[in-house]
Amino acid sequence: MNFKLSTDQLDIKNAVKEWAEKEFTKEIALECDKNEQFPHELHKMAAELGFIGIHFPEKYGGGGFGTLENSLYVEEICQADSGLGIALSLSDLASEVILNNGSEMLKQKCIPRVANGESISAIALTEPEHGSDITKMDTTAVKSGDQWEINGCKTLISNCGIADFYIVLCQTDTTIMPSYRAQSLFLVDADTDGLETTMFKDKLGCRASPTGELSFCNLRVPEENLIGELNKGFYQTMSFFNQSRIEIAAQGVGIAQGAFVRAFYYAKERKTFGKSITEFQAVSHKLADMAIKIESARLLTYKAAWLVDNGQTDPAISSMAKAHAGRVAVEVTDEAIQTLGGAGYLAENEVERFYRDAKITEIYEGTREIQKNTIVRFLLKRGIKN
Ligand SMILES: Cc1cc2nc3c(=O)[nH]c(=O)nc-3n(C[C@H](O)[C@H](O)[C@H](O)COP(=O)(O)OP(=O)(O)OC[C@H]3O[C@@H](n4cnc5c(N)ncnc54)[C@H](O)[C@@H]3O)c2cc1C
């Protein structure tokens, strides 16, 4: 067993860190958070530097690296700033669905443009009546000649309004039971007639990443926009989650580390009762607990990524990484505010934003409860092994 990152991995980590620390200024972070604005300029820069789609094959304009290198990238940008980091990390959301299942035509059409920053991708699973439970969709796609006609509504969709295309989970047959055996994924270009978007405003956190609702009214897509096999959409989505949950775990690790670093240096400088607050055990143990939690979440995240990259994808480990890193992000950012005292409550001291941003990592791509259901389901199926 070797816990050492390779030279390439360290180079990626350092390059992202150097760039993000220079470009993610406090002013930009505060502005994007306050105005709920996506950081388009930083997105372009990240693409030019080869960070977007670092895990896509080189053939499609990616960096040719794996899930672990993508996790290092996501961790570093989220550490530099939780809000900007989340927004950038979601800019290529679900492109993996096309890479893993799409036709060569769809891959060539979509993936290089996402990697070079010309396109932003999005995935639309959640509906007003179906969030955690996506085994049945109210959004339908019905074959009409050589096209599919889509009707329905998707809600809480990241990159809504800025995405160039959406990957949409539809019910393609309402007679087949169980219903998840009759779902398919379609590529819907953002400028297709029959698509309307409505934005949500005033979110708690991840405010630089737009969220909204999509409605489809007699929207038509050609047969070639069906992603992979008909009626395999549910399975393709579950397989995508095994990868995407690791990315969300990496967001959690980065957010926790970013808040911890800020709290740590503040504590070293802050004096009360004539001495540094790190000399009070109540504070120093808090810092130690934060460091322990982050390290355990990081190890689990890297392990989950390593398993994917080595052809041993383990849905239980991916869910463990997400559930643990999400909880750690929420707990550590809470303690970071506590360490700063009143100063922690002010936007200018940043941990306030990290605290608000952390929560989403326990909700999207499956809530904490859904991760735990997945973990136990797999443990029951395959038995408990070390
Ligand atoms: C900012 C943001 C961005 C998002 N981006 C996207 C996106 O890009 N694409 C997309 O498709 N969706 C997206 N979502 C939606 C997100 O994935 C869902 O909100 C999430 O899956 C939970 O679904 P729900 O909100 O319908 O909650 P519900 O399913 O109604 O759950 C409510 C509560 O009940 C619990 N619960 C439900 N079922 C069970 C169960 N079986 N066992 C135990 N507990 C259970 C849940 O854990 C939760 O605590 C986003 C959400 C947010 C807030």
Side-chain angles (χ1 to χ4, degrees):
M1 185 178 283
N2 182 359
F3 286 105
K4 212 165 156 247
L5 293 178
S6 70
T7 310
D8 272 354
Q9 289 163 346
L10 283 172
D11 286 348
I12 290 167
K13 195 173 154 62
N14 292 334
V16 177
K17 190 179 196 67
E18 197 181 314
W19 170 70
E21 282 180 354
K22 178 161 167 260
E23 301 294 341
F24 290 20
T25 62
K26 205 191 264 193
E27 291 70 32
I28 297 177
L30 284 169
E31 196 183 298
C32 288
D33 181 68
K34 186 167 169 232
N35 301 328
E36 299 187 79
Q37 194 181 303
F38 181 79
H40 285 286
E41 286 306 313
L42 291 174
H43 174 240
K44 280 201 178 63
M45 284 173 84
E48 274 161 24
L49 289 164
F51 298 147
I52 311 279
I54 196 167
H55 57 308
F56 298 171
E58 286 174 284
K59 187 179 164 193
Y60 303 110
F65 291 98
T67 311
L68 180 52
E69 288 78 10
N70 187 50
S71 302
L72 296 172
Y73 157 65
V74 170
E75 183 185 335
E76 285 301 332
I77 53 174
C78 288
Q79 179 180 338
D81 184 77
S82 53
L84 298 174
I86 285 178
L88 293 180
S89 109
L90 295 181
S91 72
D92 62 359
L93 182 60
S95 292
E96 297 86 356
V97 170
I98 298 173
L99 274 169
N100 295 342
N101 311 286
S103 63
E104 190 55 32
M105 191 278 291
L106 285 184
K107 288 183 202 174
Q108 294 289 357
K109 176 183 162 183
C110 303
I111 306 299
R113 288 171 62 84
V114 171
N116 72 22
E118 280 174 55
S119 276
I120 288 177
S121 52
I123 185 157
L125 309 169
T126 307
E127 299 184 346
E129 298 303 324
H130 305 278
S132 300
D133 179 7
I134 57 164
T135 55
K136 184 180 180 308
M137 299 278 87
D138 289 331
T139 300
T140 55
V142 175
K143 193 78 188 274
S144 164
D146 56 357
Q147 295 189 316
W148 287 89
E149 186 173 288
I150 302 179
N151 280 288
C153 175
K154 296 285 179 180
T155 192
L156 289 165
I157 305 307
S158 297
N159 296 336
C160 181
I162 61 163
D164 296 88
F165 62 87
Y166 300 91
I167 295 163
V168 185
L169 184 65
C170 301
Q171 205 63 45
T172 26
D173 195 316
T174 47
T175 57
I176 296 175
M177 289 296 151
S179 48
Y180 60 82
R181 290 197 182 145
Q183 296 179 345
S184 307
L185 288 162
F186 291 89
L187 184 103
V188 174
D189 288 311
D191 58 3
T192 313
D193 284 345
L195 175 63
E196 270 188 32
T197 59
T198 316
M199 305 309 296
F200 290 123
K201 288 286 165 199
D202 293 328
K203 300 203 298 280
L204 171 74
C206 66
R207 292 164 60 92
S209 166
T211 315
E213 204 157 82
L214 307 174
S215 48
F216 308 92
C217 182
N218 303 329
L219 180 146
R220 285 175 168 256
V221 292
E223 173 70 28
E224 66 218 36
N225 282 27
L226 169 66
I227 301 173
E229 254 184 89
L230 183 67
N231 293 338
K232 291 283 186 269
F234 178 79
Y235 303 98
Q236 293 164 348
T237 303
M238 290 300 127
S239 159
F240 159 67
F241 280 153
N242 295 333
Q243 270 175 286
S244 68
R245 286 173 177 170
I246 300 169
E247 176 157 337
I248 309 304
Q251 289 180 358
V253 174
I255 293 170
Q257 179 74 19
F260 172 65
V261 168
R262 284 158 177 85
F264 185 83
Y265 288 116
Y266 182 90
K268 268 181 76 175
E269 296 302 320
R270 181 69 176 168
K271 289 189 171 53
T272 66
F273 300 92
K275 50 186 178 183
S276 161
I277 59 170
T278 53
E279 290 185 41
F280 300 113
Q281 199 178 67
V283 176
S284 65
H285 280 193
K286 206 191 297 298
L287 294 171
D289 285 338
M290 290 156 90
I292 294 167
K293 286 177 184 177
I294 296 169
E295 195 58 24
S296 64
R298 180 179 289 122
L299 286 172
L300 198 42
T301 303
Y302 289 5
K303 177 172 177 178
W306 184 90
L307 287 168
V308 171
D309 291 340
N310 285 276
Q312 298 172 45
T313 301
D314 185 330
I317 301 283
S318 292
S319 282
M320 283 183 201
K322 183 184 183 287
H324 186 51
R327 192 84 292 259
V328 163
V330 171
E331 289 174 2
V332 167
T333 52
D334 179 9
E335 291 292 49
I337 295 191
Q338 199 66 22
T339 306
L340 267 75
Y345 211 71
L346 305 179
E348 66 190 60
N349 290 318
E350 301 186 296
V351 288
E352 171 263 1
R353 187 169 59 261
F354 280 70
Y355 178 66
R356 288 187 287 104
D357 287 338
K359 188 62 196 170
I360 193 59
T361 62
E362 290 202 290
I363 296 175
Y364 56 17
E365 305 291 320
T367 61
R368 181 172 75 225
E369 294 76 16
I370 294 302
Q371 306 309 320
K372 290 186 179 177
N373 291 351
T374 303
I375 293 163
V376 173
R377 193 169 65 249
F378 275 87
L379 294 183
L380 286 169
K381 201 157 94 181
R382 68 163 191 233
I384 301 169
K385 58 175 186 186
N386 296 328

